[in-house]
Amino acid sequence: MDHEDILPEILVRLSPRPSSLLGASLVCKRWSRLLADPYFLRRLRAHHRWEIPLLGFFTDEFGFLHFTPLLEPPDRIPSERLSMGTYHDEGWRFHECRHGIALLLNRKLMELAVWDPVTGEKCRLAVPPGFNGPESRVTVRAAALLCDDSKQAFSVVVLRHDEIPKDDKPLVFTSVYESKTGIWGNLISAPITSPLWLGKPSILVGNSLCWWLRGYGDSGILEFDLERQSLVVIDTPVDTHANPYSSFQILRMEDDSLGLAILSDVSIQLWERKANSGGFAKWMLHKTIELDKLLSLLAESTWLVIQGYDEDGNWIFVWTNIGIFMIQLESMQFRNLFKTHFVNNYHPYTNFYTAGSRIGGGSIEAEALNST
């Protein structure tokens, strides 16, 4: 191995923390170019697969897309570096973020935008045929985003469903856009039992995207298998209408199996879907978390809501009357972020903050290292 091959081997073993990567990028132009190279980023993600930093989360605050950093100095990313100005006036809505990029939808223009918060770059694309009719039912109801490790190629999945008929099951339709080909795929459909729950982003479990279905009828989980290009509805483990004040969150369990968190009163039941000896999948109760004991909640804390989920780190965001808590569902570590009376959706943002990171055309390397 010559010296040209040794440097990448050394740099890929650096801590994935922003201060470490940005500090290395300031050594010289050669190191900066290497740390920004897509091939190196693929290697970095492969090497630190389970250590991708949770930089913070996005919230929509009255039309302003705000980024809240979670890391402590010197790794803390200033809020203004990744926040977006008032974007509701133009008709944009934030849908979700995954693999370091985010997905926005504009129903006025019938366009989607794939946005890199670090570089500020956007790729806009029109919604596929069949999703842009004049009727309210013929539109995008949910959308999901996937990206390769280098962020050089991405896929967008959109969903719509018909109005819920009285005597028959509605159909849900999906189509997939591949940036490599620049075209939308064929429409795929399947019957569903309840409408898509618009407040929840998709969850990537194995090779499938999952969405929550909940209406006045049966609940369920809609699963889109990316490899088979198929849609199916999965039953929930319990009657999700037993307590109308329950809150639900689809999970990705440690072994990449499908999970579900059910928050009722002051406890969370964690369910996991496992295949039995006969090859049939069955829901199993994984564990129960008593939040009143874990978080030392006040006696009047009777209404709690799940407001977000980090599928990479298995952190869940819970609104309580004493603050917004982040809870790691395996280790039971938790953090009280802040107190708010405003119930919002929290979109965790994980990414490597590496050399060449730019936003709005301005270099941020040196400033990010010193900012608190």
Side-chain angles (χ1 to χ4, degrees):
M1 180 181 294
D2 58 35
H3 68 282
E4 293 293 330
D5 297 320
I6 294 176
L7 182 59
E9 292 294 329
I10 295 174
L11 294 181
V12 81
R13 288 166 171 78
L14 288 173
S15 166
R17 292 277 177 167
S19 59
S20 177
L21 297 171
L22 287 172
S25 73
L26 297 175
V27 172
C28 63
K29 291 183 177 178
R30 181 189 171 205
W31 284 33
S32 180
R33 286 194 299 269
L34 176 60
L35 286 165
D37 181 77
Y39 174 73
F40 177 79
L41 291 177
R42 284 196 294 270
R43 294 190 57 190
L44 190 68
R45 284 185 174 274
H47 188 80
H48 296 286
R49 182 183 177 189
W50 307 111
E51 302 175 90
I52 304 176
L54 176 57
L55 301 181
F57 56 86
F58 288 102
T59 51
D60 186 331
E61 299 182 359
F62 306 103
F64 181 83
L65 186 61
H66 181 72
F67 174 76
T68 300
L70 288 175
L71 299 179
E72 299 296 330
D75 298 303
R76 191 177 182 86
I77 306 299
S79 176
E80 61 271 16
R81 295 302 181 190
L82 300 183
S83 295
M84 183 184 288
T86 303
Y87 71 134
H88 272 222
D89 294 342
E90 301 175 4
W92 292 101
R93 298 293 186 272
F94 190 93
H95 258 261
E96 64 176 49
C97 51
R98 180 177 288 115
H99 299 158
I101 54 178
L103 184 64
L104 310 176
L105 171 65
N106 190 318
R107 286 196 173 92
K108 292 181 181 178
L109 302 175
M110 296 312 296
E111 289 185 350
L112 295 144
V114 177
W115 172 52
D116 188 331
V118 173
T119 66
E121 298 177 4
K122 292 190 187 75
C123 176
R124 293 169 64 166
L125 54 144
V127 302
F131 286 74
N132 56 356
E135 300 177 58
S136 61
R137 68 182 180 85
V138 185
T139 187
V140 176
R141 300 283 292 177
L145 177 69
L146 298 131
C147 186
D148 69 3
D149 289 335
S150 64
K151 293 194 284 190
Q152 300 301 299
F154 62 86
S155 302
V156 175
V157 181
V158 291
L159 291 170
R160 76 166 177 86
H161 60 67
D162 292 331
E163 298 288 350
I164 306 299
K166 293 182 178 180
D167 302 320
D168 198 6
K169 291 182 178 180
L171 291 176
V172 63
F173 299 87
T174 187
S175 183
V176 182
Y177 175 86
E178 300 287 353
S179 65
K180 290 181 180 179
T181 62
I183 61 173
W184 288 95
N186 296 327
L187 284 181
I188 302 167
S189 65
I192 55 175
T193 54
S194 299
L196 291 161
W197 190 251
L198 301 181
K200 298 284 189 180
S202 69
I203 301 298
L204 181 63
V205 180
N207 200 41
S208 296
L209 288 165
C210 299
W211 292 267
W212 180 247
L213 300 173
R214 192 182 187 193
Y216 296 105
D218 297 328
S219 299
I221 296 172
L222 180 67
E223 180 187 57
F224 178 55
D225 190 305
L226 295 159
E227 183 175 350
R228 298 177 181 176
Q229 295 284 288
S230 62
L231 282 166
V232 297
V233 175
I234 298 171
D235 291 334
T236 53
V238 295
D239 180 7
T240 53
H241 293 275
N243 186 341
Y245 300 104
S246 296
S247 185
F248 308 90
Q249 176 62 56
I250 300 171
L251 306 175
R252 182 169 72 195
M253 307 301 280
E254 281 192 326
D255 60 355
D256 229 10
S257 62
L258 179 64
L260 181 65
I262 303 176
L263 192 162
S264 183
D265 296 326
V266 291
S267 66
I268 298 180
Q269 285 187 343
L270 301 183
W271 293 81
E272 185 173 10
R273 197 165 184 263
K274 285 180 170 285
N276 59 24
S277 57
F280 296 99
K282 182 180 179 181
W283 287 103
M284 304 289 290
L285 182 61
H286 180 62
K287 66 178 172 183
T288 300
I289 304 170
E290 301 294 339
L291 293 179
D292 54 340
K293 299 176 182 177
L294 177 68
L295 308 178
S296 300
L297 298 177
L298 302 177
E300 61 269 22
S301 299
T302 57
W303 187 61
L304 312 179
V305 187
I306 298 174
Q307 292 300 120
Y309 175 64
D310 170 28
E311 63 188 18
D312 292 317
N314 208 19
W315 290 86
I316 202 165
F317 291 72
V318 177
W319 184 94
T320 77
N321 59 359
I322 63 172
I324 301 294
F325 283 88
M326 281 177 57
I327 307 169
Q328 212 290 326
L329 295 178
E330 292 301 325
S331 67
M332 291 296 99
Q333 294 179 344
F334 65 89
R335 178 177 171 185
N336 191 343
L337 301 178
F338 49 81
K339 185 175 181 179
T340 177
H341 297 292
F342 183 59
V343 179
N344 205 338
N345 289 320
Y346 298 87
H347 301 273
Y349 181 66
T350 58
N351 199 6
F352 292 112
Y353 209 60
T354 61
S357 297
R358 302 173 68 84
I359 184 165
S363 176
I364 54 83
E365 287 89 347
E367 290 181 80
L369 282 172
N370 299 318
S371 175
T372 58

